[in-house]
Structures are given as structure tokens and as C-alpha cells.
Amino acid sequence: MNNPDHKEQSPKVQPPEEFTGIKLKKAKKNAAGIQGIVAALGHANKYMTTGQAVRTMFKLNQQGGVDCPGCAWPDPDDDRSQLGEYCENGVKAIAEEASRKTIGANFFAQYSVTELSHRSDFNLGKSGRLREPMYLPKGASHYQPISWADAFQKIGSHLRSLPDPNQAVFYTSGRTSNEAAFLYQLFVREFGTNNLPDCSNMCHESSGVGLSKTVGIGKGSVTLPDLYEAEVILVIGQNPGTNHPRMLSALERCKENGGKIITINPLPEAGLASFKNPQRPLKLLSKGTPISDLFLPVKINGDIALLKAIMLQLYYQEMKTPGTVFDFDFISAKTEGYEDLITDLKTHDFNELVEQSGVPRDRILAAAEMLRRKTKIIICWAMGLTQHENGVANIREVVNLLLLKGAIGKPGAGTCPVRGHSNVQGDRTVGIWEAPPSAFLDRIEKTYGFQPPQKHGYAVVDAIEAMHNRKVNVFFAMGGNFLSAAPDTTYTAEALQRCQLTVQVSTKLNRSHLIHGEEALILPCLGRTNIDIQASGEQFVSVENSMGVVHASRGILSPPSNTLLSEPAIVAGIAKATLGSTSVINWDDLVANYDLIRDGIEAVVPGFDQYNQRVREPGGFYLPNGARQQEFNTDTGKAKFSVVPIPDNRVPEGQFAMMTIRSHDQYNTTIYGLHDRYRGVFNERRVVLMNREDMKEHDFQVKEIVHLSGVYNGKLREAKQFLVVPYDIPKGCVATYFPEANVLVPIDKKAAYSKTPASKRILISIKKALPND
């Protein structure tokens, strides 16, 4: 039966004693170090055998080894540490994937879907690796085992019965390999739809749109050595100490080479204060390397005002000493729109921009001075910029600053959107895209002999709305935890429950298995670390990191169950069951030897020449990147300045601007533990971080239980039972963890052009819990 019970749907109020386990400590002033090593080893020891741990850690992110299934930060080209190219959260991800504990028929016979739905996300994830396919019949209370053949036939039967292929949606998580993703999109398009939403729709879609319109490519332009060479790096809306820890090594190297780092974020983060590099034993005994030279505590969504204030100061300096601040040779030869940008800048009052940004005037002046005479400038960013209604405009403003300085397409300078999941960029490159360009579809037709659909499909938000409106009857997820990742949890849950069939390809149990359609399937797959044996022998896969490097990843651990299939094998099984003899593709051959899949990628996707040869080279290869060579593939062949408005960030009296964030004990929707060590929050996740002055003005006490609510377009959303935690955050702003607070993010509050959910600025009210709540 459909099960409406899930934690994110404003669960029943818990009594105060349930919160007595929370502990608050001072926020950390440095990241990693010995505590990071201890935490990583603790997870490895808990979930892996000693042999597994040693074998995995010395192969993790090494040439010829296994790529971490965590973040997409690049590996050094030629100077990888022999002590280990991994971070604390990478070890957590690997340890959970290598868990010795498995669950299957006996587990699901013991626990009903309703019983499991009352467990926390943390508890669900710790249940163990899934070891066999499971099926939930219509009206049933328990999942039951099903054979692979029957599972494939059931999916094929549902898909064939649809009046229109567009009544199915095929979601992709960023951990899916290039090979699996290409095969997946090939099946979906031969089936007849472009409904291929992916996790990029919810994170860096704004980056892709903003960069494509301004510099002609939706990817960053820098390489890892560029960060070492930069004179100034701006890190905006990003917390690398938790989300991309190995980035700190690059920032450390920049500092040691004389570079300066400016960090822009509502919250001060430990990793951007100081870093104790675990790869350098002497650093562990020191106070660490100071990272930030200047911290700009911007109000939530005050980034455009701040960037305009900096650019306005640079313009004033250029007027005083012409030719010393802006790169007019670059501007005149490579860009267009400069005059319009300057005309707009001059309409703004500097003092008003200061007020709108929330950053003290002297710090903005200091930032402008640090940039004034520098030309090797890199700007790094993450979801703090992209998950706003003006997310695309934020990226355009970032590009404006770089173009003024001529700081793109040369060593030590450029754009650096820091991607989250380990192959989210690669998935898009090989065709996981609801809005593919016609040239890509034409190459599929030329290579494989079928005509792909031309009509663009659903992005994530579109897909959720279509399911909710009963325009979609089958939802298929290749990895991920869709319900917990998506906005507006209650609405998304209702959407999934209105499907006839929901299918999840997964390695572990998660919330999305418990909020399901009339029928549901769980298909367990090999993990990144697992050895993959097919008909032609052992296989490897490939991924693309944040800086456009494609490289191989080889599994090194035996699968936890001999019934698991690889993602390509699952795709092929479904394709054969759905398309049968009408398919023009030999699915069995492609699965038998992944080289054949890579041959197809080479034929369809530009930049993959000699794919099978180059991917076997140590370190892999770089994909073409026009912006890296100052070749801007826009409609005019030039990089484009943009005039963007300052968003209206007014907050009604008595309300707060809320942003959602990750704790240090989670990666995306995966909860590794209940601690946020760097921020000093332990044993609890339902917290709201609040400015101390706001606490005083509203008479909130430390650890007081409160209810959060928001009204958007006339609809009330509530999240109850949170604890107030004092924190260093701008006045009027609060922060909460996701997915717990996703229930407050409206489905229809999204970025213009990119449709990315605006999770980083939600207006909410906070009220004290009453004794009888």
C-alpha cells in the first residue's frame, strides 16, 4: 500500500526529553588534522575489515585505482600523495559502500514499509548493503524478493503499456559512471523520451546556464595547477572543509605560493579558517595553514550587491589611474557589453550596496584593494550561489568580475564551479540531459540508426509537478535518494505516490524506497568499489571530475552478494524487456565489454577521440574547453558582460531568511552520523542556527524547541520540533540542515532559466513550541 508516513512530513511533535542528547561546543577554527584522521579510521574500522580498509585506501583516487564515490574534486595530475588521496568524508562514503552487513528477503519480511518509514535517514542508511531485487506489490505491506528476469519484465510491461513514452521519467544520480549513463540515455531515447532529469538540476544547473550564456561552455575553465598559481582566489557560497575537503590542499598550496584567499559566505567555516593537512605529518603538529586572508560575511543572497560594490570600487580606481585595473586589451578583443555594464554600475550607490550585502564597508574596500592590481584571479563557488531564484544572475555577475580583470583563459585564472557528486558533470557530458542540443541527437541517429525524440523533457521540478498532476505514471531512479534530495518533501512524496510504478537502483536502503507508487521495485547494484566481471572479463568504468578530466575507476572489492548486477547490466536488462526485437542496439554485446560503450561515446560526444586508448593512460585526459583557451563559443564568439538586477532581499518584520546546509557528518542526502563537529553541534540534526542578537530580540533560549513555517504563494509549509542554536550568522538569517528542512522549500520557488530549487533563501517564521505541542 502507499505509505504517507515519512519523517520530513512534519512528524509528530516529540517531547522535550527527546532532545536531551544534544551537545553544543565551540565551533572549530581549523579543519582535518588528527581528529579528521581518527574519524575516518573509525568509520573504516566499523564497516570494513582491516584488509578491505588497507586495500581500498591505498587505491582510492590513485592512478589505476578506484575513484571516490563522494565529491568531484580532481586528483593531482602527477604528484599524488602516497599517504592517501582521500578525505574524511571520502572514507565515510567508501566505508558505507564496503559495509559487511547486507539486507534482503529476511530483513524486508521482518519490517513492513510503515515500520521502516518511522526510522531516521541515518538509521535507514546503516541497515546495510542491499543484496537482492525486492518488489512491493500493489496493496502489500512488505517488500518481497523477485528475480532479475521478473523485475525486468515487470518494468518493461509497465513502460510498454504507457500511451505515451513521455509518461515515464528517468532520473539519474551523479555517482553513475559515464558508461552506465550513456547506455541509460541511449535506452531512454530509443524508448522515445527526453525525460532525463538529474541531480544537476538541483545544484549546478544555474552554473551551466550562466556560464554557457556568457563564456560559451557550462563547465569551469580552470585546472588544478591553476589554483596553485593564482594570485587571488575567491571562494563564494561554499564549504570545502566538509563538502570538498581535498580542495583545501589546493588552497594551502596557493597560500604557500604567495596567493591570497577571500571567502564569501554567511557562515564562517572551519575549513576556510585553517587547515591541518593530514598528508603532511609536520602540519598535524602545528596550528595548521591559515586559509582565508579576508572573510566577507555576506547576508543570505547578498552576493550580487557585494560583487557590484567590489566592481564599483575597481571602476573608481580605474578612473583614477587608467589602464592599471581593468584589462582593456582583453575586453576589447574578447568581450562585448562592457559599456552597458559600466553604465549600470554607475547607477548604484556604493553605500547602498554595502547595506544590501551586509558586509562591513572596510572589508569590501579591502577586497577591492586585494584585486586591484592582480590578474590571476579564480572564483570558486557552489550551491550558496546557484540555489537562489537569481542563481543564474549570480553566476553572470561572477563572470563580470573575471572579465573586467581579463582573468579567464590564462594560467592561474578563471571560473571554478565546484561540483558535488563524483560524476555529475560526466553524466551531463555523455547525454543525461532533459534538454539535449540537436547536434547531440543527430549524432545518436547517425551512430545507432534510430531517431531520438526532439522534444525537450522534464527537469526535476517539472518531473515532480508532472507526477503530482498524474501526467507521469512511471518513475525510475538510477541511484540517489530522490525524495530526500528534492524540494517540498510533502509535495514530492505525494507526487511519487501517484505513480503506478516507482523503481530505485540503489546500493543501500533510503527514504525513497519507502515513499513509492502503487507498485515499487528496488534493484541493488554494484558500487564503485566493487569488482565488475562481465562476459569478456573484468571491467572498469570512467568518470569526469569538476575540471573536465576523464579517467578510469576500477573496483577492488568483491561484491557483498553474487546476485548484484552492474548499472550497465541493469539498463540492458530493462531495455531488452521493454524494446524487445524492435531495438536496433545489441545490448548484450555492450554489457559484455564496456569498451564497446566507450566506442559509442567516442562516436557521439565531441572530445572523446581515442577514448579507450586515452582513458587507460595514467591520469586520463582533459576534455576540450574553449574558455580555457579564450575561445568563447557563444553566438557571437565573444564572452559577454551581463547587466543583472539586485534581488529584492527584504525580509518582513518578524521573519527570517533561511538557508539549508549540510552537516559535517553527511554527504548530499547520505547521513553518516549525528554530529557537525566543525560547527560544534553534536547528537542532533533538527537544529536552527541563529544570530545571538536575533535570539535575544525574539526571546529564544539556547536549545529551545521551536516550530518553523513558511507561506509561499498562499500555501503554508511547516517543520516542527527544531532546537535553537546560537551561531555566528548575519542578523536576520538562519540555517538548517537538509533534508530535514526541505519540507519548507516550495516546489514553485526556483531559479529563473535553470529551474534549480531556491533552497538557499526561504522566508520563514519561527515560533516557540507550546507545552502541549
Side-chain angles (χ1 to χ4, degrees), residues 213-230:
K213 295 296 185 182
T214 55
V215 297
I217 185 170
K219 303 178 182 182
S221 67
V222 302
T223 64
L224 195 54
D226 286 327
L227 274 85
Y228 308 154
E229 191 175 336

Side-chain angles (χ1 to χ4, degrees), residues 316-325 372-373:
Y316 292 156
Q317 293 298 323
E318 174 64 32
M319 292 301 98
K320 290 180 182 178
T321 54
T324 65
V325 181
R372 182 166 64 93
R373 295 190 180 276

Side-chain angles (χ1 to χ4, degrees), residues 500-560:
Q500 294 172 0
L501 175 70
T502 52
V503 184
Q504 309 283 338
V505 178
S506 307
T507 57
K508 298 183 304 174
L509 188 64
N510 66 51
R511 183 71 53 191
S512 297
H513 302 137
L514 310 176
I515 305 299
H516 50 79
E518 292 179 0
E519 297 177 73
L521 283 161
I522 302 173
L523 305 182
C525 66
L526 297 176
R528 185 79 59 81
T529 58
N530 294 137
I531 297 169
D532 183 357
I533 304 292
Q534 301 298 335
S536 68
E538 185 174 335
Q539 306 296 311
F540 69 88
V541 295
S542 57
V543 296
E544 178 187 346
N545 64 36
S546 263
M547 295 179 182
V549 179
V550 177
H551 60 95
S553 177
R554 301 176 185 273
I556 57 177
L557 302 177
S558 297

Side-chain angles (χ1 to χ4, degrees), residues 131 253 276 305 316 329 402 491 514 522 538 544 606 737:
R131 69 166 175 260
R253 192 158 169 179
K276 291 186 177 182
Y316 292 156
D329 289 340
L402 292 172
Y491 183 94
L514 310 176
I522 302 173
E538 185 174 335
E544 178 187 346
Y737 300 133

